[in-house]
Amino acid sequence: MERTEIVLEGRKGEIQLFSDDQKAGKMDISVIGKKLTVYHTEVSPEYEGQGFAKILLERLVSYARENDLKIVPLCPFVYAQFKHHPEEYNDVWLKE
């Protein structure tokens, strides 16, 4: 069973993904004002290829929507997903 947690200390933090209580992946993020910047997505090697990066992306986007934030996708994975599926992410994508 997978679960996510958002851990913010001040302006920086992570979205953490756990599978059966083992940390399976994370996204490095910061929130400043109404901007949520995502820097890096990482999935542990033993969990690769199971869609865990997509789970992290879905949590990132839902968190942004819940908190009226715009995402700055500095992470190559997130940027690629936004670019390939703009209709799905235009409402949260801050294009600078």
Side-chain angles (χ1 to χ4, degrees):
M1 182 75 197
E2 286 77 48
R3 68 181 167 83
T4 57
E5 289 181 15
I6 297 186
V7 179
L8 281 172
E9 295 176 12
R11 297 186 289 190
K12 293 194 171 205
E14 305 182 325
I15 298 175
Q16 300 175 344
L17 174 65
F18 295 88
S19 179
D20 297 325
D21 292 324
Q22 298 293 320
K23 190 171 180 184
K26 68 178 181 114
M27 280 183 161
D28 296 325
I29 63 170
S30 69
V31 178
I32 300 173
K34 289 291 183 182
K35 275 195 210 180
L36 190 167
T37 304
V38 56
Y39 301 97
H40 178 71
T41 301
E42 182 177 314
V43 174
S44 298
E46 61 269 25
Y47 296 102
E48 289 177 356
Q50 298 178 40
F52 284 14
K54 186 75 170 173
I55 293 170
L56 283 163
L57 177 62
E58 289 168 3
R59 185 64 186 109
L60 173 80
V61 170
S62 67
Y63 182 78
R65 288 178 177 143
E66 291 162 10
N67 292 281
D68 195 30
L69 302 171
K70 296 289 187 180
I71 298 171
V72 179
L74 298 182
C75 167
F77 167 73
V78 176
Y79 179 76
Q81 292 300 310
F82 279 22
K83 191 174 177 184
H84 288 98
H85 307 284
E87 67 288 344
E88 195 171 338
Y89 303 114
N90 267 339
D91 65 316
V92 293
W93 185 4
L94 182 61
K95 298 175 187 170
E96 295 185 306

